[in-house]
């Protein structure tokens, strides 16, 4: 694998444009746009303050840079470098900022989640949405960009509002049967909205697009509940990862559990193949002078290979402190492959930041704190 | 009465009194018997009579002395009168003894009674104790049983307790985690609250309120390029409509998929049903015993169903009735198939058992037939073997008949000898032939060497002539020589005309010393040899002119280049030598 030179960035703000042509990175208060293939700097923008958040618009024409401390959002255009746009939230503050799916509206969540301001770049019009909920995932756009679901909390009750992204018209507004709504997610076909409760109660509710409750699912009571939820790309399955280290899969016809996967600490399954990375470090010189150099080279010189562990395999598990809130146990991230054949799950306190499948569905990328791992699946081409 | 009884006994006493020893027992019997009569004052007088007084006296003396009492009568005193005192004493002693005896008897009876009563008592107590023991044993087992049950109960309760404890622990853990979660949330909310408060304070204090504003250089167009619409009821309705459209389309697709799936499954079911029906219909004519009385009805219903289904094939798949009918019919068919299979199984098992028997019956017959046949076959073989054995025995067990054995052995030897002789003869003949051939060969070789020598000389001369006389006139002489040579050639090649050049080569290879010059000849010369061989027989056909032609030919040959001719001559020479050899071989 070839690696380019190292580029500076701050706040882990480094994104490739949706069309895959440009790469934008933020360095303190500067926004650098490069060409993906040549990595040449195409544009350089300067913002007024340190950039806290940066995002591409869906059509890859605009980039928004949010500076939360100052309450400012600046939007830059790739086509017209001279074009500028500055949104000042004023004294109300800014907590999060995002694009709308059409790439022409910016949604700013004010401090303390007082309201969501929708700024239109086409008409300079402003819309306000009151009582947004401060939760893990309070806003979700449907995949086709038509609808937006927003979690609200009024009078100690949870509500969900469905907006039409076209003109921000409130389509539906309904109460949910959750104690404390933690997140919501549209299904890929945009017809079902999955809503789940906070970890104190295991409850997943499924609402149809017009606000009807289709089904409610609860695996158990009292213990800590849902940690992560994800839809399969074909909208047929909903995978729920919970704190009891199990993944439960619901089907879209009956919304009942069809299977559940466990994450035992010792793997005895004959069908499972466990790969263990074995590192072979080259000898580092003990000379003080050359220490700095050797460290650098040692990082690149360490050869690691994967060897297959014979079953049964004991996975080293670090038992987290159960007294702490939001303990590092349970299935924290799930990812379906694009053909919905495989599900990658991360359980426990392993240092895996993200799981991402390739579009073709046969390779998985694991991003850890210090390592990057690419897994290729040996798929049998039976029938496409 | 007693007198009569006593009288009965007395003759015995009389008889036995003569012998003192023998007398003893009967009087004692008499004595014991008469103890009771004595008590009742019965008279016992027949013991002593006037005749046997002495004997009685002595007897009594003996008896008394045996009892340990002083004698009644001493013999020393001559008088027949007894000592009355002694007698009375004796009597008194006897009476005392008797009393004592009676007392002891009484005592013993009493003792016996006592002991018997004791025994009874003991028996009773023992039975009682046994019963008690039994009871206590039963009681003990009962107690043990109870104890065991209680143990089990204790164990189960302990398990329950452990489970409960575990559950309590689990619940406590849950409560603890929930509590920590709540606390965390509370803290978070409190922090947010304080921040809000601070912010509020700040806002109240802060005079300058920064208004929110957007500053855009120029409006950018919409993403889809259309103009934005006003928010009206129409747009709202449109949005609603669009939303329902998406939902409906989703339901449509799902329904379509399900229809397809249903169709597939129905097809499969139909297929299964058809196959089941076909299997069952195949079986129907085979099975003779109609154990199902309603088979006819079932068949009818089946036909009905088939007719029904075929008529409603296109539409029926989608109606509830058809679906139900299909499932019902499949269930029915399956049940029938199952029962049929079960029947077959039972039949098969029965048949197997029956078959085994019938097989035995059948096979036995055939088996017997086979056996007879085999026996018949075996019989001559056995006879044959027997005769052979006999012969062998005779042979082995007849060492005395040496002549015959020697004859026999000689027979074999003779046969072999005959064979060897014949072979020897043939070999001898061959050897002679070879000898002859060898001789011929050697002679031929010798001749050849001679001729060679002569030829060499001739050649040398000829060459000399040739060199010396390089003029056309020299031809006149040469033909003479060549003629002879050619004649020789002709004569020699007659027989070998048909021979292949290979033979020549072979001969060449076989010959050793006589023709050393043949060796350096290459295969290229064989071509020439071919030519010469071909040419020679051709010329031979025209016999009258053959020689002249040859002469001409040779002339032609001679007129060519010298080394060529040389070669030719060489070839010719070798050819001739080889033909000579061939001749020799052919002659054989």
């Amino acid at each position: 694998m070839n690696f380019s030179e190292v580029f500076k960035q701050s706040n882990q703000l480094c994104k490739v444009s949706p069309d895959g042509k440009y790469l934008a990175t933020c360095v303190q208060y500067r926004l650098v746009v490069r060409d993906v293939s040549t990595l040449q700097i195409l544009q350089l923008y300067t913002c007024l303050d340190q950039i806290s958040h940066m995002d591409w618009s869906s059509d890859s024409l605009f980039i928004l840079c949010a500076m939360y401390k100052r309450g400012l959002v600046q939007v830059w255009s790739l086509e017209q470098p001279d074009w500028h746009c500055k949104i000042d939230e004023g004294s109300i503050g800014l907590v999060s900022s995002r694009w709308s799916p059409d790439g022409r509206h910016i949604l700013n969540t004010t401090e303390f989640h007082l309201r969501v301001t929708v700024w239109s770049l086409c008409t300079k019009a402003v819309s306000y949405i009151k009582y947004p909920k401060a939760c893990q995932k309070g806003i979700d756009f449907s995949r086709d960009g038509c609808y937006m679901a927003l979690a609200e909390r009024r009078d100690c009750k949870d509500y969900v509002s469905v907006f039409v992204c076209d003109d921000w018209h409130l389509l539906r507004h309904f109460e949910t049967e959750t104690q404390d709504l933690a997140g919501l997610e549209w299904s890929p076909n945009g017809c079902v909205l999955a809503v789940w409760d906070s970890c104190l109660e295991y409850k997943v509710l499924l609402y149809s697009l017009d606000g009807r409750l289709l089904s409610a699912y609860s695996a158990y009571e009292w213990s800590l509940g849902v940690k992560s939820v994800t839809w399969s790309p074909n909208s047929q399955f909903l995978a729920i990862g919970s704190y009891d280290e199990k993944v439960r899969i619901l089907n879209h016809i009956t919304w009942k559990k069809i299977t559940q996967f466990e994450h035992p600490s010792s793997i005895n399954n004959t069908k499972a193949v466990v790969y263990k990375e074995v590192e072979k470090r080259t000898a580092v010189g003990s000379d003080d002078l050359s220490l700095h150099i050797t460290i650098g080279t040692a990082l690149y010189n360490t050869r690691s290979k994967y060897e297959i562990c014979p079953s049964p395999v004991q996975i080293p598990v670090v038992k987290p402190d159960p007294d702490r809130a939001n303990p590092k146990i349970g299935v924290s991230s799930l990812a379906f492959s694009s053909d919905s054949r495989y599900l990658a799950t991360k359980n426990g306190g392993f240092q895996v930041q993200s799981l991402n499948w390739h579009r073709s569905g046969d390779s998985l990328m694991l991003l850890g704190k210090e390592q990057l791992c690419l897994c290729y699946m040996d798929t049998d081409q039976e029938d496409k | 009465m007693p007198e009569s009884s006593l009288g009965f006994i007395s003759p015995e006493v009389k008889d036995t009194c003569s012998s003192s020893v023998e007398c003893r027992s009967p009087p004692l019997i008499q004595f014991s018997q008469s103890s009771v009569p004595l008590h009742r004052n019965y008279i016992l007088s027949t013991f002593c009579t006037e005749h046997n007084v002495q004997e009685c006296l002595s007897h009594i003396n003996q008896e008394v002395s045996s009892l340990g009492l002083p004698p009644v009568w001493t013999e020393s005193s001559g008088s027949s009168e007894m000592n009355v005192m002694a007698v009375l004493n004796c009597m008194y002693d006897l009476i005392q003894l008797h009393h004592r005896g009676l007392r002891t008897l009484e005592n013993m009876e009493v003792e016996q009674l006592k002991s018997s009563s004791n025994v009874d008592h003991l028996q009773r107590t023992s039975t009682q104790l046994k019963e008690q023991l039994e009871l206590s044993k039963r009681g003990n087992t009962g107690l043990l049983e109870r104890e065991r049950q209680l143990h089990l109960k204790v164990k189960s309760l302990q398990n329950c307790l452990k489970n409960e404890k575990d559950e309590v622990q689990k619940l406590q853990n849950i409560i603890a985690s929930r509590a920590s979660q709540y606390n965390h949330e509370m803290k978070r909310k409190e922090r947010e609250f304080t921040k809000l408060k601070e912010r509020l304070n700040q806002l109240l204090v802060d005079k300058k309120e920064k208004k929110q504003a957007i500053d855009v250089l120029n409006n950018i167009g919409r993403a889809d390029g259309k103009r934005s619409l006003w928010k009206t009821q129409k747009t709202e309705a449109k949005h609603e409509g669009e939303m329902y459209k998406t939902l409906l389309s989703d339901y449509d697709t799902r329904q379509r998929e399900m229809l397809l799936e249903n169709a597939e499954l129905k097809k499969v079911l139909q297929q299964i049903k058809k196959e089941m029906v076909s299997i069952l219909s195949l079986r129907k004519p085979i099975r003779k015993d109609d154990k199902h009385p309603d088979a006819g009805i079932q068949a009818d219903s089946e036909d009905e169903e088939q007719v029904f289904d075929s008529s409603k094939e296109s539409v029926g798949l989608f109606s509830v009735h058809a679906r139900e009918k299909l499932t019902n019919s499949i269930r029915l068919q399956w049940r029938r198939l199952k029962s049929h299979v079960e029947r077959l199984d039972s039949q098969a098992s029965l048949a197997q058992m029956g078959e085994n028997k019938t097989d035995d019956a059948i096979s036995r017959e055939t088996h017997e037939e086979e056996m007879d046949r085999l026996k018949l076959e075996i019989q001559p073989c056995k006879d044959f073997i027997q005769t052979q054995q006999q012969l062998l025995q005779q042979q082995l067990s007849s060492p005395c008949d040496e002549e015959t054995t020697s004859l026999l052995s000689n027979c074999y030897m003779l046969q072999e000898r005959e064979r060897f002789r014949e072979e020897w003869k043939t070999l001898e003949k061959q050897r002679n032939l070879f000898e002859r051939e060898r001789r011929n060969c050697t002679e031929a070789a010798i001749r050849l060497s001679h001729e060679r020598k002569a030829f060499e000389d001739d050649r040398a001369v000829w060459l000399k002539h040739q060199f010396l006389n390089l003029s056309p006139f020299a031809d006149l002489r040469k033909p003479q020589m060549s003629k002879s040579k050619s004649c020789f050639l002709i004569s020699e090649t007659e027989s070998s005309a048909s021979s292949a050049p290979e033979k020549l080569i072979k001969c060449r290879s076989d010959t050793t010393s006589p023709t050393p010059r043949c060796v350096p000849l290459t295969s290229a010369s064989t071509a020439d040899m071919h030519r010469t061989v071909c040419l020679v027989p051709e010329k031979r056909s025209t016999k009258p002119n053959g020689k002249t032609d040859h002469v001409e030919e040779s002339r032609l040959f001679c007129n060519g280049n010298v080394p060529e001719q040389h070669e030719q001559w060489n070839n010719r020479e070798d050819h001739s030598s080889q033909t000579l050899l061939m001749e020799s071989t052919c002659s054989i």
Side-chain angles (χ1 to χ4, degrees), chain A residues 310-340:
Chain A
S311 73
V313 178
Q314 274 305 117
I315 297 177
V317 173
V318 176
K319 265 217 177 275
D321 190 6
D323 292 335
R324 289 192 62 192
N326 297 321
K328 285 200 193 319
I329 53 169
V331 182
S332 50
S333 60
L334 309 156
F336 272 99
S337 69
S338 50
D339 55 359
S340 307

Side-chain angles (χ1 to χ4, degrees), chain A residues 104-362:
Chain A
R104 297 288 179 273
H105 295 87
I106 290 173
L107 289 96
N108 287 340
T109 315
T110 61
E111 213 167 346
F112 310 114
H113 282 79
L114 284 174
R115 63 165 186 248
V116 172
T117 336
V118 184
W119 298 92
S120 165
L121 296 175
C122 313
T123 61
K124 288 204 254 183
V126 188
S127 312
Y128 299 106
I129 303 170
K130 282 204 286 186
Y131 310 115
K133 182 147 189 205
C135 55
Q136 187 188 9
K137 190 173 177 189
I139 300 180
D140 193 34
F141 292 101
S142 66
R143 214 154 281 200
D144 53 4
C146 292
Y147 303 104
M148 178 183 90
L150 179 76
E152 294 178 14
R153 187 148 181 115
R154 282 172 222 245
D155 302 326
C156 308
K157 280 198 261 224
D158 288 316
Y159 297 89
V160 169
S161 298
V162 179
F163 292 93
V164 180
C165 292
D166 229 4
D167 54 2
W168 305 105
H169 157 71
L170 176 67
L171 191 67
R172 286 284 188 276
H173 178 81
F174 51 89
E175 190 186 338
T176 61
E177 290 171 15
T178 52
Q179 291 281 342
D180 185 13
L181 200 153
L184 39 75
E185 188 165 331
W186 286 104
S187 69
N189 63 1
C191 297
V192 182
L193 182 70
V195 167
W196 60 92
D197 215 333
S198 72
C199 59
L200 287 169
E201 188 164 341
Y202 195 126
K203 200 186 252 184
V204 177
L205 298 161
L206 292 134
Y207 290 94
S208 111
L209 177 57
D210 56 347
R212 291 174 295 122
L213 175 66
L214 295 171
S215 171
Y217 176 73
S218 172
Y220 51 81
E221 279 191 311
W222 306 124
S223 290
L224 291 178
V226 176
K227 193 161 184 182
S228 59
V229 173
T230 186
W231 285 94
S232 76
N234 57 5
S235 307
Q236 282 180 350
F237 307 112
L238 180 69
I240 305 167
S242 48
Y243 279 93
D244 65 342
E245 303 186 331
K246 289 194 188 132
V247 177
R248 291 174 177 84
I249 311 245
L250 311 182
N251 75 83
H252 74 305
I253 299 172
T254 60
W255 301 115
K256 298 253 185 298
K257 180 182 87 171
I258 51 171
T259 182
Q260 77 178 35
F261 298 118
E262 302 187 1
H263 296 80
S265 57
S266 88
I267 297 173
N268 264 326
N269 194 351
T270 49
K271 286 189 197 170
V273 182
V274 179
Y275 289 94
K276 186 178 165 179
E277 187 177 6
V278 171
E279 274 190 348
K280 285 187 286 189
R281 281 195 187 275
T282 56
V284 179
S286 57
D287 200 345
D288 276 347
L289 286 168
S290 62
L291 196 64
H292 300 286
I293 307 156
T294 49
I295 283 172
T297 52
L299 280 171
Y300 292 124
N301 284 346
T302 50
R303 289 194 182 281
S304 65
K305 65 180 178 92
Y306 287 94
E307 52 182 40
I308 296 175
C309 295
S311 73
V313 178
Q314 274 305 117
I315 297 177
V317 173
V318 176
K319 265 217 177 275
D321 190 6
D323 292 335
R324 289 192 62 192
N326 297 321
K328 285 200 193 319
I329 53 169
V331 182
S332 50
S333 60
L334 309 156
F336 272 99
S337 69
S338 50
D339 55 359
S340 307
R341 283 178 78 186
Y342 305 103
L343 175 68
T345 62
K346 181 205 136 191
N347 179 39
F350 294 106
Q351 296 287 345
V352 174
Q353 312 282 41
S354 70
L355 304 165
N356 282 304
W357 285 91
H358 191 268
R359 201 166 292 223
S360 60
D362 61 356

Side-chain angles (χ1 to χ4, degrees), chain A residues 83 91 104 128 172 200, chain B residues 178 199 212 215 218 221 244:
Chain A
W83 188 88
S91 38
R104 297 288 179 273
Y128 299 106
R172 286 284 188 276
L200 287 169
Chain B
R178 285 179 84 92
R199 202 63 209 283
Q212 49 171 203
D215 171 30
N218 55 308
Y244 283 121

